[in-house]
Amino acid sequence: MATTTAQTGQSTGAAAPFPPFNADTFASQLFWLALCFIFLLVMMWKVALPRIGGIIDNRLQRISGDLAEAAALKGQSDDAIAAYEKALADARARAQAIANETRDKQAAEADLTRKRLEDELNVKLADAEKTIAATKTAAMSNVRGIAADATKAIVERLIGKAPSDSAVDAAVADTLKR
Amino acid sequence: MADPIKQFEIVDLFPIARIGNTDIAFTNSAAFMVLAVGGITTFLLATTRRREVVPGRMQSIAELSYEFVANTLQTTAGKEGMKFFPFVFSLFMFILIANLIGLIPYAFTITSHIVVTLALSMSVFLTVLIYGFWKNGLHFFNLFVPKGVPLYILPLIVFIEVLSFISRPVSHSVRLFANLLAGHITLKVFAGFITLLGGLGIAGIIGATLPLALVVAFFALELLVAFLQAYVFAILTCIYINDAIHPGH
């Protein structure tokens, strides 16, 4: 196996230079380093890094897309919830209104009925009062007649002579007034 | 005792070409470079082949490395710095995988050679220099002139700034090279103690458990260093690139 002459000093003693400072090897090392490093640089630049960068970008886009979609869906569900709550509130309000209306109507009807009944009762009451008054008047006039007859009879018996009708009427009226 | 330096030797496997007076050969270093680059490319392409939205473990590793380097670059050099993402990513992965492969016993550590790390840091330095002048023109010199410095010490400050700028590739490369070199020598020295003591009979074998424990602990540290040095190299690259994009202090 061929070795650079300066490296054969290993066996002979101190003559060999320290390998990293052995200038005889520099040309080969630089040549292969340049070749390998330029190959690596080109492979990384043109193939590997665009590919890995593409994978990472793709993932980021996918994640941000998913997040945007999730946000949009959340917005939709929020809207749906808001619409549902609005409908619920509307329905409640309408139910309240209908209940109020019905209650008012029924109260009005009840009032009307009550008023009509009251009026009827009042009329009946007035009629009854009138009847009572008429009956009373009639009764009173009857009382007066009876009293006058009785008075005339009593006085006729006492004094044997019938008093005049006018005097008896006046006396009865005078007594009834007390 | 095994020579702790031997692991850094470059061995020619077969010659490729001869340019002038210099031989270009396929060496053990070249073999491990090909292995590292091939491994990185194959791994990243194979694990992302199915482009899954929900990644498996292996695809997660590929994505993790992508995002790690991308975040580092973006926080340091901003959005404009992402132009250099393939460059920084390649540097990080190449150094990381080279460091990690080097920790496998009998494997060669590419990044333990100063010429390799210096070439990498010079590529960063030249990128910064060329892009800096191309984008900012002469405003790139603002990099050396901090704002709000009194005029009488400005020449000194500019001198120091220029000096530190020029010495960047050196510190950038020596940091990586020295860390890897020292770590591997230490590992080899302690490993050498194990075989040395192990040859001394029962007492030696009992005594050898201490360097063995040290090698295990040191190996864990070297794993950290392998990652950390790749990260440090990448983040310094990001900082230098940021200077090229925004030269004002």
Side-chain angles (χ1 to χ4, degrees):
Chain A
M1 185 174 288
T3 54
T4 316
T5 45
Q7 290 163 352
T8 54
Q10 182 59 39
S11 49
T12 55
F18 186 53
F21 299 140
N22 183 353
D24 291 346
T25 66
F26 286 0
S28 295
Q29 287 198 68
L30 287 176
F31 172 77
W32 287 105
L33 176 68
L35 204 68
C36 291
F37 191 73
I38 289 168
F39 173 79
L40 180 70
L41 188 61
V42 170
M43 285 306 280
M44 295 299 108
W45 192 354
K46 295 297 175 194
V47 188
L49 295 179
R51 187 191 282 185
I52 301 174
I55 292 170
I56 292 169
D57 280 353
N58 180 32
R59 180 177 309 136
L60 285 180
Q61 270 171 21
R62 192 106 159 235
I63 289 170
S64 62
D66 286 357
L67 282 178
E69 200 184 322
L73 287 176
K74 190 181 180 298
Q76 277 177 23
S77 78
D78 282 354
D79 288 353
I81 287 170
Y84 161 75
E85 272 173 359
K86 194 176 173 301
L88 197 66
D90 283 357
R92 278 218 185 94
R94 215 158 50 225
Q96 190 86 34
I98 290 168
N100 282 344
E101 202 181 308
T102 312
R103 191 173 339 109
D104 288 354
K105 208 162 81 188
Q106 280 173 351
E109 270 173 13
D111 270 1
L112 219 66
T113 315
R114 188 163 48 80
K115 208 157 178 219
R116 193 160 46 76
L117 286 173
E118 268 176 13
D119 286 355
E120 277 174 24
L121 284 174
N122 281 344
V123 169
K124 277 183 186 163
L125 211 59
D127 281 357
E129 271 172 1
K130 242 185 252 169
T131 316
I132 289 166
T135 315
K136 198 177 169 185
T137 317
M140 286 303 275
S141 59
N142 288 349
V143 167
R144 185 176 293 232
I146 293 163
D149 287 349
T151 307
K152 204 183 216 179
I154 290 166
V155 171
E156 198 177 358
R157 185 80 61 83
L158 285 172
I159 61 173
K161 182 184 152 252
S164 69
D165 284 349
S166 58
V168 172
D169 281 349
V172 169
D174 195 35
T175 310
L176 280 175
K177 255 181 220 160
R178 277 186 251 150
Chain B
M1 187 172 153
D3 184 356
I5 303 301
K6 199 169 182 301
Q7 59 177 322
F8 302 114
E9 269 177 12
I10 302 275
V11 181
D12 292 359
L13 301 180
F14 52 86
I16 295 286
R18 188 177 174 81
I19 301 165
N21 253 349
T22 47
D23 283 316
I24 305 288
F26 190 76
T27 61
N28 53 350
S29 168
F32 278 96
M33 283 180 198
V34 171
L35 184 70
V37 167
I40 296 165
T41 310
T42 312
F43 178 80
L44 289 180
L45 292 186
T47 53
T48 57
R49 187 167 33 93
R50 281 186 288 174
R51 296 179 167 81
E52 284 166 359
V53 173
V54 180
R57 279 181 209 167
M58 290 297 142
Q59 192 182 319
S60 287
I61 295 173
E63 288 179 16
L64 216 63
S65 58
Y66 178 100
E67 285 181 328
F68 178 69
V69 179
N71 287 340
T72 307
L73 182 57
Q74 189 138 29
T75 49
T76 323
K79 207 147 193 73
E80 236 181 305
M82 291 307 282
K83 274 183 222 166
F84 296 94
F85 179 52
F87 180 52
V88 178
F89 186 81
S90 301
L91 276 174
F92 175 73
M93 290 305 277
F94 182 73
I95 294 169
L96 177 66
I97 300 304
N99 290 352
L100 290 177
I101 288 177
L103 281 176
I104 300 167
Y106 296 106
F108 181 81
T109 315
I110 311 159
T111 41
S112 65
H113 275 254
I114 182 76
V115 65
V116 171
T117 61
L118 189 66
L120 292 175
S121 69
M122 280 308 288
S123 71
V124 174
F125 183 74
L126 290 176
T127 303
V128 167
L129 210 60
I130 293 166
Y131 184 76
F133 277 116
W134 176 76
K135 183 172 179 289
N136 305 295
L138 293 180
H139 289 294
F140 187 59
F141 285 113
N142 285 351
L143 187 60
F144 308 122
V145 189
K147 284 199 182 71
V149 173
L151 207 61
Y152 56 93
I153 58 163
L154 199 59
L156 183 65
I157 295 291
V158 168
F159 174 72
I160 292 170
E161 290 280 346
V162 170
L163 203 66
S164 80
F165 183 79
I166 290 169
S167 63
R168 270 175 184 182
V170 176
S171 64
H172 201 184
S173 58
V174 167
R175 184 179 297 111
L176 174 62
F177 155 71
N179 267 285
L180 271 287
L181 185 82
H184 281 262
I185 289 176
T186 316
L187 274 179
K188 200 61 170 253
V189 166
F190 281 123
F193 282 147
I194 301 171
T195 51
L196 201 69
L197 289 170
L200 299 179
I202 296 294
I205 288 171
I206 293 166
T209 53
L210 182 66
L212 180 65
L214 278 172
V215 165
V216 171
F218 220 83
F219 190 84
L221 181 70
E222 282 304 303
L223 272 177
L224 177 72
V225 168
F227 173 78
L228 206 64
Q229 286 304 320
Y231 178 63
V232 165
F233 197 96
I235 202 160
L236 282 171
T237 304
C238 295
I239 291 169
Y240 297 161
I241 284 171
N242 183 46
D243 281 348
I245 298 168
H246 314 106
H249 266 269

